[in-house]
C-alpha cells in the first residue's frame, strides 16, 4: 500500500470466494515443492502461500525445510496466474524497509500478483537459532504496528513503485492489539477461527474499524479450512469469509482435499 489507509479489494475479487493453498516448505525437496506449486496453479487455485519459518512445524523437527522469501521469488518467476505470498511473514526477521523492497521486487517479478502477508512472529526456535531477540508477545506486536507505516512509506518512495497497491494480509486474532492493527493497515485479515469465534472477532474488529474510521467491508476475511467440514465452511461463508486457506505439507502434498474445496468454491461463485 502507498497510503496509510488501505484501499478496497479490486471489484474482480470482492465478494467472490477464493481458495489459497499453503504449501509448507517442509519435509520435501525443492523439486517436489516446485512441482506442487505448478499443480496447484493448474487446478485453478487463487493463491499459493508458504510460511516464514526456518524449521519444520510438524513431524521431524530437524527435517527438510526451505526459506520463505527466496521460494516466493522463484514461484513469482515460475507461475503466471496465481497470486502468492507468505502466510505469514515474520516481521522480526527483516528490517521493515527491506521487507518493503523485497515485496516490491517480487511484485514486479510476478507481474503484480504478490500479497504481503505478515504477522508479529511466534516460533521461538526460529529466533533462538538465528539470533533474533524473542522478547514478548506485546513487544513483537508493538514492533509490527511501528513497522507497517515504514513499509507503506517505503513503497511510496521506491523507484519503480510496486506494480499494484500490494494487498496487506495480517494474521492473528488478538483483540487489544492485533485487530487494531488489522483495522488500520490490512486489506485481508486471516485467522483460524471457528464460526462462533469468527462471529465474535468480527464484532471486535468492527469496533476497531469504527475507532480508526475504516469500513469493515473493505477488509477481506480469511480463514483456514484444515479440519473443517463443509457445514462449518458454509457458516464461515455466511459470516463473510471469502478467502479460505488449506495447509499442505510434504513429503506428498496431497491435493485431493484441495480439489474438493475448489469445487465448493465454484459452487459458491456460480
Amino acid at each position: 500500500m502507498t497510503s496509510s489507509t488501505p484501499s478496497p479489494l479490486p471489484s474482480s475479487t470482492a465478494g467472490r470466494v477464493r481458495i489459497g493453498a499453503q504449501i509448507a516448505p517442509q519435509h520435501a525437496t525443492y523439486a517436489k515443492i516446485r512441482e506442487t506449486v505448478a499443480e496447484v496453479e493448474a487446478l485453478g487455485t487463487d493463491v499459493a502461500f508458504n510460511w516464514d519459518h526456518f524449521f519444520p512445524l510438524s513431524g521431524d523437527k530437524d527435517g527438510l525445510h526451505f526459506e520463505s522469501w527466496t521460494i516466493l521469488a522463484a514461484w513469482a518467476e515460475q507461475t503466471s496466474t496465481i497470486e502468492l505470498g507468505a502466510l505469514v511473514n515474520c516481521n522480526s526477521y527483516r528490517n521493515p524497509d527491506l521487507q518493503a523492497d523485497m515485496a516490491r521486487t517480487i511484485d514486479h517479478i510476478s507481474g503484480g500478483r504478490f500479497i504481503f502477508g505478515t504477522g508479529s512472529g511466534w516460533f521461538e526456535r526460529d529466533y533462538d537459532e538465528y539470533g533474533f531477540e524473542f522478547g514478548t508477545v506485546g513487544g513483537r506486536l508493538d514492533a509490527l504496528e511501528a513497522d507497517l507505516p515504514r513499509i507503506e512509506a517505503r513503497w511510496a518512495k521506491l523507484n519503480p513503485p510496486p506494480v499494484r497497491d500490494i494487498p496487506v494480509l495480517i494474521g492473528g486474532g488478538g483483540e487489544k492489539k492485533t485487530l487494531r492493527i488489522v483495522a488500520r493497515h490490512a486489506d485481508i485479515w486471516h485467522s483460524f477461527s471457528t464460526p462462533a469465534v469468527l462471529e465474535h472477532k468480527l464484532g471486535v474488529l468492527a469496533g476497531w474499524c469504527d475507532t480508526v474510521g475504516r469500513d469493515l467491508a473493505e477488509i477481506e476475511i480469511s480463514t483456514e479450512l484444515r479440519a473443517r467440514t463443509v457445514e462449518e465452511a458454509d457458516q464461515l461463508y455466511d459470516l463473510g469469509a471469502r478467502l479460505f486457506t488449506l495447509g499442505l505439507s510434504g513429503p506428498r502434498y496431497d491435493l485431493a482435499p484441495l480439489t474438493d474445496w475448489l469445487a465448493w468454491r465454484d459452487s459458491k461463485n456460480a
Side-chain angles (χ1 to χ4, degrees):
M1 306 295 302
T2 55
S3 67
S4 60
T5 303
S7 60
L9 291 166
S11 59
S12 60
T13 61
R16 295 182 62 80
V17 172
R18 303 196 294 159
I19 298 292
Q22 186 186 41
I23 303 168
Q26 63 175 14
H27 306 309
T29 64
Y30 186 72
K32 181 61 177 178
I33 294 170
R34 188 181 193 282
E35 172 187 299
T36 300
V37 76
E39 292 174 343
V40 164
E41 181 177 42
L43 287 171
T45 310
D46 298 284
V47 189
F49 291 110
N50 62 16
W51 65 35
D52 189 20
H53 295 290
F54 304 130
F55 301 95
L57 298 186
S58 62
D60 180 359
K61 67 179 183 179
D62 294 315
L64 298 175
H65 197 278
F66 293 95
E67 193 275 332
S68 172
W69 281 82
T70 41
I71 287 177
L72 292 172
W75 286 359
E77 187 66 40
Q78 174 188 345
T79 60
S80 60
T81 59
I82 197 168
E83 290 187 282
L84 49 104
L87 191 65
V88 288
N89 167 68
C90 177
N91 181 65
S92 306
Y93 301 160
R94 302 162 192 89
N95 172 283
D97 294 276
L98 176 60
Q99 291 179 56
D101 204 341
M102 293 166 67
R104 180 280 308 258
T105 299
I106 296 177
D107 195 49
H108 274 266
I109 296 170
S110 68
R113 293 180 286 121
F114 187 71
I115 294 172
F116 182 64
T118 195
S120 60
W122 64 271
F123 191 39
E124 190 168 3
R125 185 184 180 191
D126 284 348
Y127 286 81
D128 291 345
E129 294 220 23
Y130 277 62
F132 299 105
E133 182 181 351
F134 189 57
T136 65
V137 172
R140 294 192 300 274
L141 282 166
D142 290 343
L144 177 65
E145 187 167 29
D147 288 346
L148 279 165
R150 284 183 59 182
I151 290 166
E152 294 162 352
R154 179 57 57 187
W155 281 336
K157 297 174 183 177
L158 287 170
N159 184 19
V163 175
R164 64 173 178 175
D165 283 347
I166 297 175
V168 174
L169 179 155
I170 296 175
E175 297 180 10
K176 293 182 179 180
K177 290 188 176 183
T178 302
L179 294 183
R180 182 182 70 218
I181 298 169
V182 169
R184 287 177 175 162
H185 296 283
D187 299 292
I188 307 168
W189 168 53
H190 182 78
S191 74
F192 293 84
S193 301
T194 63
V197 171
L198 182 62
E199 184 173 18
H200 168 73
K201 298 286 186 183
L202 285 172
V204 176
L205 179 57
W208 280 118
C209 285
D210 288 343
T211 298
V212 304
R214 183 93 186 277
D215 184 353
L216 176 61
E218 296 176 1
I219 302 172
E220 185 178 20
I221 307 304
S222 173
T223 190
E224 170 65 26
L225 283 170
R226 188 168 33 195
R228 298 270 183 255
T229 64
V230 171
E231 180 182 5
E232 288 175 310
D234 286 339
Q235 293 172 355
L236 293 164
Y237 174 88
D238 290 341
L239 288 167
R242 290 299 181 269
L243 176 58
F244 295 83
T245 65
L246 183 66
L248 307 172
S249 179
R252 289 184 56 243
Y253 296 111
D254 180 11
L255 300 185
L258 176 62
T259 301
D260 292 340
W261 284 115
L262 289 169
W264 175 82
R265 174 203 65 184
D266 294 343
S267 72
K268 291 295 185 185
N269 290 338

